[in-house]
């Protein structure tokens, strides 16, 4: 047997070889060994680690952060998340947007200054400058981790590589949208479906020389991290960076109130076709950066901005057939199979008909000539029927009352609307194979386990081949079988293995969101995760004897209502669900969830609010408490640390209860002082 020293030397030599080739591959785009040779080298290292636990403990390969190829580009954490935008589709949606902002800030219908900018339909990227020098360029990735595409971004001449100004903050992160001009697209249009795809394709070229061949342009629209912060408004920020030679959009404008919002939307919509770049709406942003900060973000998007989309692009086609689809929550959706037609640069052959009532109301029949529309990433939909064109061959669609799995479907009664739901549902959960497959697609998605290389199509394929039938199968894949499939080589299998291994370690809130309990979205999953803290506590829901008590306690949480509690009860009362989720848990390392800001003013404290505040809404007060490490409860109990009492109409009963339980009461004045301190 070789001595420890020799083994260690051999192991370290192989690691340094791997590092050398990673560097050649990632940083110089100049691989000097084939993928197979690279795979072999890595296998040797892994075998050594498997054989000798003292090498496994060193695990130099795993610690070699970012350099092990998962994909073509190095992955880097964003300094600040790159969020997406909420959408508005009409005047009413914009009215709601303004109302929500007013409510959150506790304003009474104030016309807040908004900054309007065209929403460029391109690919987002972020540029990081240190002391005025371009140091990093990242793609959006999943919003938390991006890809290092600096060299490709550098091929865009108009992106400043150095900012010459004494005013530039030490750290300046510029967010921008990369696009291909419509005119430039004409010469390459045979290679790509639309300019957006072309821009994406070009940016993701491994060889920057290839990127340079396609003329990319950009508009800077926002910022990520800035230190020190020197800007007060969005308009001031854009004006300043334009002076520093960044390209900003010339059609940006300050507006106030619904009328001006509509006017600007219409104006730009009319100019749209004459612009040299694709836009799909107008982004309206609260101009004052202080207010933006107060408003903050929900899970995915800022409260201070929205994208007011232009009306969807429409096309005429014919319905060949109507079929039903089963979603992951069991919703049965009718889908029209239409004659393929191009809508806004994309070929559409399926369009949703929403639900049974919608088909009735619009009297949509098989063989009808229909108008379909597609807006952004939203699923194309059938808008209306051209009844003049209807002939004898048109056939009414009889909506089945059974799921594709054969089970009866049901329209549920909604307690909040006091009506029957428009959507029919299959209630079999994982026992329905159609639902089970959709649930798998949700589990691997970006917001959930985020497994690169395991997208919807691969799930379909692996499902058919019996490789994955339930979530835990993802972690027991038969790679020998996969290797025999078309399109799967050593490197892609290795990448998939890595992505799956990485996803095994997951935070409790993501896990709760991933298992797909109806009515438990990302926000609610966070609330639940912060209540349970650990998977051990969460798992108590599996046991009937605990469940009732836990669900009662959940009712105290702000944000969790009867609908969620009912849904949790349904989910965990189902034995198949319990077995499937337990099997999944056994494969994972589920990390405890703790609130982001544990060092805050209310760290680990439980608060409750009653009454209105002068300077802020209840939502803002709640957000402040949470960002300072506190938990907000919805009812009084012994567990509560503070009852915060606003001056305007507090509930006397709550104050009395709190006094009785000796809970500390914070009056509005003191609350403000604590926040200022
Ligand atoms: S502001 C969410 N302004 O739209 C953070 N975004 O759906 C604030 N986009 O990822 C985004 N033009 O890539 C903003 N004028 C503009 C934009 C714009 C295009 C893209 C951007 C972002 C996506 C959000």
């Amino acid at each position: 047997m070789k001595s420890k020293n020799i083994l260690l030397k051999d192991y370290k030599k192989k690691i340094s070889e791997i590092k050398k080739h990673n560097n050649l591959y990632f940083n110089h785009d100049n691989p000097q060994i084939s993928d197979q040779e690279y795979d072999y080298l890595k296998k040797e290292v892994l075998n050594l680690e498997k054989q000798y636990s003292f090498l496994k403990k060193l695990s130099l390969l795993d610690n070699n952060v970012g350099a092990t190829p998962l994909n073509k580009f190095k992955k880097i954490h964003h300094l600040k998340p790159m969020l997406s935008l909420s959408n508005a589709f009409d005047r009413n949606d914009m009215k709601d947007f303004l109302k929500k902002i007013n409510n959150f800030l506790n304003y009474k219908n104030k016309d807040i200054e908004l900054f309007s900018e065209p929403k460029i339909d391109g690919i987002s990227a972020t540029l990081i400058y240190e002391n005025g020098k371009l140091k990093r360029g990242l793609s959006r990735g999943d919003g938390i981790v991006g890809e290092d595409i600096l060299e490709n971004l550098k091929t865009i001449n108009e992106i400043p590589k150095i900012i010459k100004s004494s005013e530039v903050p030490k750290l300046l992160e510029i967010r921008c949208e990369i696009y291909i001009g419509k005119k430039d697209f004409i010469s390459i249009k045979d290679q790509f479906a639309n300019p957006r795809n072309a821009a994406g394709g070009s940016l993701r070229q491994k060889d920057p020389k290839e990127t340079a061949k396609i003329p990319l342009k950009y508009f800077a629209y926002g910022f990520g991290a800035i230190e020190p912060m020197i800007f007060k408004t969005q308009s001031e920020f854009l004006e300043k960076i334009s002076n520093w030679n960044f390209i900003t959009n010339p059609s940006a404008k300050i507006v106030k109130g619904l009328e001006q919002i509509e006017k600007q939307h219409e104006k730009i919509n009319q100019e749209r076709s004459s612009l040299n770049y694709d836009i799909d709406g107008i982004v309206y942003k609260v101009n004052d950066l202080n207010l933006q900060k107060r408003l903050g973000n929900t899970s995915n998007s800022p409260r201070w901005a929205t994208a007011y989309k232009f009306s969807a692009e429409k096309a005429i086609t014919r319905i060949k057939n109507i079929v039903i689809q089963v979603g992951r929550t069991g919703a049965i959706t009718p889908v029209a199979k239409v004659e393929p037609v191009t809508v806004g640069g994309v070929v559409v052959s399926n369009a949703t008909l929403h639900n049974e009532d919608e088909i009735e109301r619009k009297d949509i029949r098989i063989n009808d000539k229909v108008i379909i529309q597609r807006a952004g990433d939203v699923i194309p939909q059938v808008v209306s029927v051209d009844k003049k064109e209807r002939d004898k061959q048109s056939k009414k669609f009889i909506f089945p009352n059974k799921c594709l799995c054969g089970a009866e479907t049901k329209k549920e009664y909604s307690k909040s609307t006091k009506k029957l739901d428009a959507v029919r549902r299959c209630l079999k959960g994982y026992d329905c194979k159609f639902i089970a497959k959709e649930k798998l697609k949700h589990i691997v998605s970006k917001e959930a386990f985020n497994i690169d290389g395991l997208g919807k199509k691969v799930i379909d394929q692996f499902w058919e081949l019996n490789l994955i039938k339930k979530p835990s199968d993802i972690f027991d894949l038969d790679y020998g079988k996969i290797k025999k499939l078309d399109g799967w080589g050593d490197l892609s299998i290795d990448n998939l293995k890595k992505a799956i291994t990485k996803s095994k370690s997951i935070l409790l809130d993501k896990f709760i969101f991933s298992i797909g309990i109806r009515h438990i979205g990302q926000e609610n999953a966070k609330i639940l995760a912060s209540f349970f803290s650990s998977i051990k506590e969460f798992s108590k829901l599996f046991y009937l004897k605990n469940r009732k008590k836990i669900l009662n306690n959940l009712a105290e949480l702000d944000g969790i209502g009867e609908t969620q509690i009912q849904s949790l009860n349904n989910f965990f009362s189902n034995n198949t669900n319990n077995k499937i989720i337990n099997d999944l848990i056994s494969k994972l390392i589920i990390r405890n969830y703790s609130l982001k800001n544990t060092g805050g003013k209310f760290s680990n404290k439980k608060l409750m609010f009653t009454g209105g505040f002068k300077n802020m809404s209840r939502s803002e007060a709640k957000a402040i408490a949470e960002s300072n490490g506190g938990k907000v409860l919805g009812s009084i109990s012994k567990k509560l640390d503070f009852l915060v009492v606003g001056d305007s109409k507090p509930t006397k009963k709550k104050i009395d209860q709190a006094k009785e339980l000796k809970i500390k009461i914070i009056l509005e004045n003191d609350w403000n002082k604590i926040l200022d301190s």
Side-chain angles (χ1 to χ4, degrees):
M1 194 177 148
K2 283 185 190 172
S3 81
K4 257 191 170 184
N5 264 348
I6 296 178
L7 279 167
L8 188 64
K9 218 166 135 191
D10 188 25
Y11 175 71
K12 282 194 172 166
K13 197 172 144 216
K14 288 192 163 66
I15 295 279
S16 77
E17 277 277 292
I18 290 185
K19 281 191 180 170
K20 183 181 102 187
H21 290 298
N22 280 345
N23 185 36
L24 286 164
Y25 183 93
F26 285 110
N27 302 328
H28 302 281
D29 283 306
N30 184 22
Q32 285 175 359
I33 54 173
S34 68
D35 284 354
Q36 282 74 19
E37 285 169 296
Y38 180 89
D39 281 339
Y40 187 74
L41 189 59
K42 251 178 46 187
K43 212 176 192 164
E44 284 186 312
V45 166
L46 293 174
N47 279 345
L48 278 174
E49 286 187 352
K50 223 193 233 163
Q51 249 180 310
Y52 304 102
S53 59
F54 78 102
L55 295 178
K56 174 85 197 150
K57 273 187 201 136
L58 285 177
S59 193
L60 294 177
L61 197 57
D62 285 345
N63 294 337
N64 187 6
V65 182
T68 352
L70 242 187
N71 243 323
K72 284 197 295 196
F73 299 97
K74 203 157 89 184
K75 306 228 165 182
I76 298 182
H77 257 263
H78 287 298
L79 297 175
K80 292 213 164 155
M82 288 184 83
L83 302 173
S84 33
L85 283 166
S86 62
N87 288 323
F89 293 101
D90 56 27
R91 188 188 169 97
N92 268 339
D93 290 348
M94 280 312 292
K95 205 168 153 187
D96 277 353
F97 170 68
L98 295 176
K99 200 166 134 202
K100 273 194 195 147
I101 290 182
N102 265 288
N103 286 345
F104 192 95
L105 296 170
N106 213 20
Y107 289 169
K108 299 231 153 32
N109 294 327
K110 214 188 229 180
D111 270 342
I112 298 166
E113 203 171 80
L114 297 178
F115 197 71
S116 76
E117 297 161 30
K119 183 168 188 295
I120 317 298
D121 192 10
I123 303 289
S124 50
T126 192
L127 306 164
I128 299 173
Y129 294 82
E130 287 168 19
N131 299 315
K133 283 195 193 114
L134 177 58
K135 284 286 164 87
R136 275 198 170 157
L138 307 181
S139 68
R140 180 174 185 276
D142 65 0
I144 305 295
V145 177
E147 289 171 318
D148 178 359
I149 51 164
L150 177 65
E151 293 309 317
N152 293 357
L153 289 167
K154 275 186 181 166
T155 66
I156 305 174
N157 286 337
E158 290 84 2
I159 289 183
K161 314 297 177 296
I162 291 181
I163 312 168
K164 291 194 190 93
S165 162
S166 57
E167 288 173 295
V168 182
K170 248 178 33 206
L171 173 68
L172 174 70
E173 183 179 4
I174 302 285
R175 300 263 158 102
C176 57
E177 194 79 355
I178 314 286
Y179 69 93
I180 287 185
K182 286 184 193 166
K183 285 183 207 138
D184 290 325
F185 179 66
I186 295 173
S187 60
I188 52 164
K189 76 173 191 314
D190 293 339
Q191 298 166 46
F192 301 98
N194 54 46
R196 187 172 187 277
N197 281 6
S202 169
L203 265 187
R204 292 186 51 81
Q205 289 297 320
K206 212 176 115 195
D207 183 354
K209 283 190 221 98
E210 291 300 313
T211 307
K213 283 185 194 161
I214 299 176
L216 293 169
K217 294 192 169 65
Y218 82 100
F219 283 116
Y221 62 72
F223 55 84
I226 299 190
E227 279 165 30
M229 185 55 174
I230 54 169
F231 306 108
K232 297 248 174 326
T233 60
Q234 168 75 2
S235 48
E236 180 204 357
F237 161 74
L238 285 180
E239 201 180 311
K240 187 63 97 193
I241 65 166
S242 158
N243 289 339
W244 294 341
N245 286 335
F246 286 90
I247 312 285
T248 57
N249 195 285
S251 307
K253 192 178 173 206
I254 291 178
V255 296
K256 253 185 185 181
L258 207 50
E259 295 315 315
Q260 288 184 19
I261 287 177
E262 280 290 310
K263 210 171 135 198
Q264 180 70 357
H265 191 252
E266 272 163 34
K267 179 172 174 278
I268 304 290
N269 199 9
Q270 273 165 20
E271 292 168 7
R272 188 177 174 190
S273 57
S274 62
L275 299 173
N276 185 31
Y277 43 88
D278 281 331
I279 61 175
D280 56 358
I282 304 284
V283 187
Y284 287 96
K285 307 176 181 177
V286 170
N287 197 27
D288 183 329
L289 299 185
N290 223 353
L291 292 185
Q292 282 191 10
K293 203 166 159 201
R294 276 181 65 188
L295 285 157
N297 311 318
T298 63
S299 286
N300 287 322
S301 54
R303 289 192 190 89
W304 46 264
T306 198
Y308 187 178
K309 293 290 183 79
F310 295 128
S311 320
E313 305 216 30
K314 295 188 172 69
I316 296 173
T317 181
R318 193 177 287 279
I319 298 185
K320 292 196 294 188
N321 197 6
I322 295 176
V323 296
I324 55 168
Q325 261 177 14
V326 188
R328 72 175 171 92
T329 60
I332 311 285
T333 312
V335 175
K337 296 278 172 190
V338 299
E339 281 167 8
V341 59
T342 307
V343 197
V346 171
V347 178
V348 170
S349 44
N350 292 320
T352 176
L353 295 160
H354 298 292
N355 55 53
E356 189 172 359
D357 297 356
E358 176 99 349
I359 300 183
E360 272 299 299
R361 193 154 34 85
K362 291 184 177 163
D363 187 18
I364 300 169
R365 303 183 191 181
I366 298 167
N367 217 39
D368 272 349
K369 213 168 200 187
V370 288
I371 295 178
I372 62 167
Q373 70 175 17
R374 180 186 152 260
D377 296 333
V378 186
I379 305 165
Q381 46 182 286
V382 174
V383 189
S384 60
V385 179
D386 186 349
K387 293 205 179 118
K388 292 197 299 295
E389 291 276 332
R390 182 171 281 167
D391 58 27
K392 279 196 203 124
Q393 287 191 13
S394 82
K395 219 168 72 193
K396 271 205 173 194
F397 174 67
I398 301 165
F399 204 96
N401 51 18
K402 287 208 166 108
C403 173
L404 293 173
C405 73
E408 293 293 328
T409 54
K410 245 175 113 179
K411 289 186 174 180
E412 287 174 318
Y413 177 76
S414 156
K415 279 189 182 155
S416 54
T417 60
K418 300 208 166 36
K419 271 188 204 158
L420 269 190
D421 202 352
V423 177
R424 252 178 204 287
R425 277 173 210 281
C426 170
L427 304 177
K428 289 279 172 195
Y430 278 104
D431 285 327
C432 164
K433 59 183 182 186
F434 298 90
I435 298 180
K437 189 158 87 169
E438 292 310 306
K439 281 187 184 288
L440 282 169
K441 291 179 185 172
H442 168 71
I443 282 194
V444 298
S445 68
K446 256 190 182 175
E447 292 75 21
F449 275 71
N450 188 19
I451 306 180
D452 266 350
L454 203 56
K456 289 184 182 173
K457 287 207 176 112
V458 181
I459 290 287
D460 277 333
Q461 188 191 14
F462 285 8
W463 175 276
E464 290 310 320
L465 297 168
N466 286 330
L467 283 162
I468 300 183
K469 288 286 184 186
K470 55 185 190 307
S472 58
D473 293 344
I474 296 172
F475 303 95
D476 286 330
L477 272 176
D478 181 344
Y479 290 100
K481 258 193 187 167
I482 299 175
K483 211 169 159 178
K484 293 191 189 125
L485 303 175
D486 270 357
W488 287 93
D490 282 344
L491 196 60
S492 49
I493 287 184
D494 200 30
N495 285 344
L496 180 62
K497 273 187 199 166
K498 279 213 159 297
I500 290 177
T501 306
K502 193 172 141 211
S503 75
K504 274 189 183 179
S505 162
I506 187 166
L507 265 172
L508 182 63
D509 67 315
K510 287 246 175 197
F511 172 79
I512 297 176
F513 172 68
S514 302
I515 58 178
I517 306 166
R518 206 168 149 222
H519 300 297
I520 305 295
Q522 285 169 289
E523 286 293 325
N524 281 331
K526 282 202 175 110
I527 298 175
L528 292 178
S530 97
F531 174 85
F532 290 106
S533 297
S534 68
I535 187 65
K536 193 166 163 224
E537 288 301 311
F538 182 74
S539 297
K540 289 185 177 160
L541 277 170
F542 290 126
Y543 304 103
L544 184 64
K545 71 176 191 340
N546 300 331
R547 200 179 307 136
K548 210 165 168 196
K549 193 172 155 221
I550 298 174
L551 293 178
N552 268 340
N553 289 342
L554 283 180
E556 287 174 3
L557 297 179
D558 210 32
I560 300 291
E562 213 181 308
T563 316
Q564 284 76 22
I565 288 178
Q566 188 60 45
S567 174
L568 282 161
N569 195 28
N570 289 344
F571 188 90
F572 288 102
S573 305
N574 176 315
N575 286 338
T576 310
N577 282 351
N578 286 358
K579 168 141 187 19
I580 282 183
I581 301 309
N582 262 317
D583 283 352
L584 176 62
I585 292 174
S586 72
K587 308 279 172 198
L588 305 171
I589 300 163
I590 301 174
R591 305 199 307 276
N592 289 357
Y593 182 89
S594 57
L595 284 168
K596 273 170 263 157
N597 197 340
T598 43
K601 285 171 186 162
F602 304 115
S603 178
N604 293 325
K605 298 286 182 224
K606 297 189 177 71
L607 299 88
M608 190 184 146
F609 295 94
T610 178
F613 298 81
K614 211 181 288 132
N615 295 336
M616 65 184 71
S617 64
R618 180 80 65 82
S619 312
E620 188 176 4
K622 196 182 144 199
I624 290 174
E626 281 170 348
S627 67
N628 277 287
K631 276 187 194 175
V632 180
L633 300 190
S635 65
I636 304 245
S637 72
K638 276 189 292 205
K639 286 179 237 150
L640 204 63
D641 294 293
F642 304 116
L643 177 70
V644 189
V645 182
D647 287 348
S648 170
K649 299 188 197 143
T651 313
K652 189 172 172 297
K653 194 171 153 212
K654 284 184 184 151
I655 300 175
D656 291 344
Q657 279 175 332
K659 278 185 182 159
E660 208 167 291
L661 293 169
K662 301 207 166 47
I663 289 162
K664 195 164 185 263
I665 290 177
I666 302 178
L667 298 175
E668 179 162 348
N669 207 7
D670 299 325
W671 170 252
N672 290 333
K673 277 189 202 150
I674 295 173
L675 299 192
D676 285 341
S677 67

